[in-house]
Amino acid sequence: MTPSIGLYAANMRALASPTEAARVARLAEDLGYDSLWVADHVVVPSPRVPPSPMEPTEALLDPVVSLTFFAAHTSRIKLATGVLVLPQRNPLILAKQLASVDVLSGGRLVAGVAAGYLEPELRAVGVPLERRGARTDEHLAAMRSLWHDASPTFSGEFVQFSGVDAFPRPVQNPVPVVVGGHSRLALRRAARFGDGWFGYLLGLRAAREHLAELASVVAEVGRSLPLEITVTPSRRLDPDSVGEYGGMGVNRLVVAPMPGWSVAEIEEFVRANAPERIGAACS
């Protein structure tokens, strides 16, 4: 298997600016990247405390708004959330927003979701950390009903609706859903409810370990359909390492610029990781 290449953090830090974001997105598309991935945090702790991934003063644009912007400035590259903190969002509103992105982009959406981990953020938006996994599962099922059922309805602990509908439906049926997270519960969610799994900042050994555990979970839940595997590597890529990731079953490698890089440094990074240069699949 030869992995494709995606670009992470297209909506944050130096790229949280329309001119630079559009230029880098078009560059990635022209170089054969298969996907742009946007991060999600509504708020982060101020001052920063572990395990927050960023300083409160670092720029991070809303992921759905960002994908809509990228849909207007690109034509082929996939547009992915990497990943949305699903329990802190209203699932009907989010389903409408993501369906709109899929329609406006001509069917290029990849919906990456996760249960989240940042307690101060969840608390600030009124969602308890406890049972966020169950809330995530319900939100995803409710969104899929609104996207794909002839008569959408859902009755759960956290979400209830019937007698409503929302058009236009997404172009894609089904919308591809990628589940992020490294815990066994996250792997189980991917195996049960996802079309793919996203592992963030994994070197070769860590990726191999997580994929072995994922295979165990897939067998445990009795899944028969293959999962698309996406990994953000924690190391510099070259043809050898791309081949090693591909050999263990990774479909896509999403490269992440370093925090603090300038736009010029990010552009050079995008060129250095162009699929043709590192032996990856070109879109």
Side-chain angles (χ1 to χ4, degrees), residues 91-143:
L92 275 71
I93 293 174
L94 182 59
K96 182 70 169 182
Q97 292 172 325
L98 292 179
S100 299
V101 169
D102 200 53
V103 169
L104 292 173
S105 68
R108 292 187 279 146
L109 173 70
V110 177
V113 301
Y117 62 91
L118 200 53
E119 193 275 338
E121 177 183 24
L122 289 162
R123 183 177 69 249
V125 298
V127 175
L129 192 67
E130 297 75 23
R131 294 189 53 74
R132 67 192 185 282
R135 193 184 296 265
T136 297
D137 295 344
E138 281 198 14
H139 284 199
L140 181 54
M143 290 166 61

Side-chain angles (χ1 to χ4, degrees), residues 132-207:
R132 67 192 185 282
R135 193 184 296 265
T136 297
D137 295 344
E138 281 198 14
H139 284 199
L140 181 54
M143 290 166 61
R144 279 182 160 152
S145 179
L146 202 60
W147 285 337
H148 304 308
D149 289 351
S151 299
T153 184
F154 191 84
S155 179
E157 179 183 354
F158 306 104
V159 186
Q160 305 88 28
F161 63 85
S162 62
V164 296
D165 215 325
F167 281 82
R169 294 285 200 262
V171 172
Q172 300 177 93
N173 188 2
V175 171
V177 172
V178 173
V179 177
H182 297 166
S183 70
R184 192 169 182 87
L185 286 174
L187 299 179
R188 186 176 179 84
R189 179 170 297 110
R192 293 180 62 202
F193 305 124
D195 302 298
W197 173 71
F198 182 20
Y200 186 66
L201 288 184
L202 299 178
L204 289 166
R205 183 174 65 179

Side-chain angles (χ1 to χ4, degrees), residues 255-279:
V255 295
M258 292 293 291
W261 276 1
S262 67
V263 175
E265 289 172 315
I266 294 172
E267 288 177 328
E268 179 53 34
F269 174 79
V270 171
R271 292 188 180 93
N273 287 282
E276 288 187 352
R277 293 189 65 173
I278 60 173

Side-chain angles (χ1 to χ4, degrees), residues 53-66:
M54 59 191 297
E55 296 295 335
T57 53
E58 291 181 277
L60 174 58
L61 298 173
D62 177 85
V64 179
V65 173
S66 298

